[in-house]
């Protein structure tokens, strides 16, 4: 006999039928009068993460919201990640209340807005955020550029599958990440090596809500768990290395240092090493060359 019960799935199931941990993001868009509009969202997640010529997030929202209507008009977006300060979450809940105009909701906003790093007419970003993604809606996907702002009572079909107006009241937006902005403390941690003390105090929106409350959890210090890496066979690394590029070879000693790379990532890692080796004029990758290549990768990350 199962230890679980079958709970009915209803609209907004992530809020009404589940406890679903999500981020708390304030999304900036540009209103018709040029003012930055902030809306609170949690249904915003990584979408394109590898293998394409750009990276992207996906946003799910009501198509009548200020945010959706502004994206349909102008495409530029800022994703502002706030910390777990209670006054910030309280403000996020206020900014997420539907029906207010941009002028009404932004009149007494507690956040400080400043210009981001991308050029052009873009929404301002929140100074108090620990990181910001400056994005552009990829309206070419599914010909979503054909969807226009202005329908506040619901859109009629046909609908897109994953980008643009996807239902009578819903929308999905594939947001190309143009820049990731990071405050100094967290930038330095990512570049130089993250420790438990370096994590920002990220709140968790629990998804579930009732007619009275949204629920949020404060940050707790994360704990590390070592990756149980399986060491591969040196011969497997040597076999793969020989097939990357005939102009660049790996010594046995260098291959021995690469046995902890998971097999599924081995070819990609070796290919990147060979590309850097060629840039540096290296034809034989030995232990010393590996150090040069790793230094180069760190510099590129900075």
């Amino acid at each position: 006999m199962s230890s679980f019960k079958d709970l009915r799935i209803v609209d907004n199931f992530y809020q009404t039928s589940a406890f679903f941990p999500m981020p708390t993001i304030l999304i900036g868009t540009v209103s018709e009068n040029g003012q930055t509009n902030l809306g609170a969202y949690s249904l915003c997640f990584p979408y394109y993460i590898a293998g394409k010529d750009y990276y992207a997030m996906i946003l799910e929202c009501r198509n009548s919201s200020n945010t959706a209507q502004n994206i349909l008009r102008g495409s530029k977006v800022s994703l502002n990640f706030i910390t777990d300060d209670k006054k910030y979450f309280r403000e996020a809940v206020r900014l997420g209340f539907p029906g207010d105009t941009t002028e009404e909701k932004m009149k007494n906003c507690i956040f400080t807005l400043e210009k981001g790093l991308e050029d052009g007419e873009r929404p301002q970003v929140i100074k108090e955020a620990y990181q910001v993604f400056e994005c552009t809606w990829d309206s070419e996907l599914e010909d979503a550029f054909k969807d226009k702002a202005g329908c506040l009572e619901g859109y009629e079909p046909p609908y897109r599958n994953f980008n643009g107006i996807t239902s009578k009241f819903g929308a999905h937006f594939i947001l190309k990440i143009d820049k990731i902005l990071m405050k100094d403390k967290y930038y330095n941690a990512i570049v130089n090596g993250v420790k438990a003390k370096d994590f920002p105090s990220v709140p968790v929106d629990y998804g579930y809500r009732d007619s009275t409350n949204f629920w949020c959890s404060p940050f707790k210090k994360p704990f590390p768990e070592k990756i149980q890496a399986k060491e591969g066979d040196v011969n497997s690394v040597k076999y793969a290395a020989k097939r990357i590029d005939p102009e660049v070879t790996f010594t046995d000693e260098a291959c021995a240092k690469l046995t902890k790379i998971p097999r599924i990532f081995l070819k990609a890692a070796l290919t990147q090493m060979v590309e850097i080796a060629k840039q540096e004029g290296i034809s034989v990758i030995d232990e010393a060359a590996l150090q040069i290549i790793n230094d180069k990768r760190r510099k590129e990350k900075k």
Side-chain angles (χ1 to χ4, degrees), residues 27-32 35-41 59 61-74 76-77 94-106 149 152 173:
I27 296 185
T29 53
V30 180
S31 66
E32 284 189 278
Q35 184 179 8
T36 294
N37 177 88
L38 294 179
Y41 289 89
L59 167 65
C61 61
R62 289 181 300 105
N63 57 38
S64 61
S65 68
N66 291 329
T67 297
Q69 292 292 304
N70 290 341
I71 293 175
L72 290 169
R73 288 190 196 93
K76 302 302 182 183
V77 179
R94 185 186 72 82
L95 291 169
F97 192 83
D100 291 344
T101 65
T102 297
E103 292 80 5
E104 289 170 338
K105 70 162 56 180
M106 297 302 294
L152 302 183
F173 296 105

Side-chain angles (χ1 to χ4, degrees), residues 206-272:
Y206 267 92
Y208 176 80
R209 61 164 294 189
D210 51 31
S211 60
T212 306
N213 299 305
F214 277 97
W215 295 83
C216 177
S217 174
F219 174 78
K220 289 187 177 180
K221 183 179 177 181
F223 61 87
E225 180 64 31
K226 288 289 185 184
I227 298 172
Q228 303 299 316
K230 296 180 179 179
E231 290 199 26
D233 185 352
V234 175
N235 289 328
S236 297
V237 179
K238 290 164 63 175
Y239 179 86
K242 287 179 180 178
R243 284 156 179 77
I244 300 299
D245 192 309
E247 297 179 6
V248 179
T249 60
F250 289 75
T251 66
D252 291 350
E253 292 76 16
C255 289
K257 287 186 170 294
L258 303 176
T259 56
K260 289 187 177 181
I261 298 176
R263 185 177 301 175
I264 193 172
F265 301 132
L266 182 59
K267 182 178 179 181
L270 293 174
T271 300
Q272 184 186 38

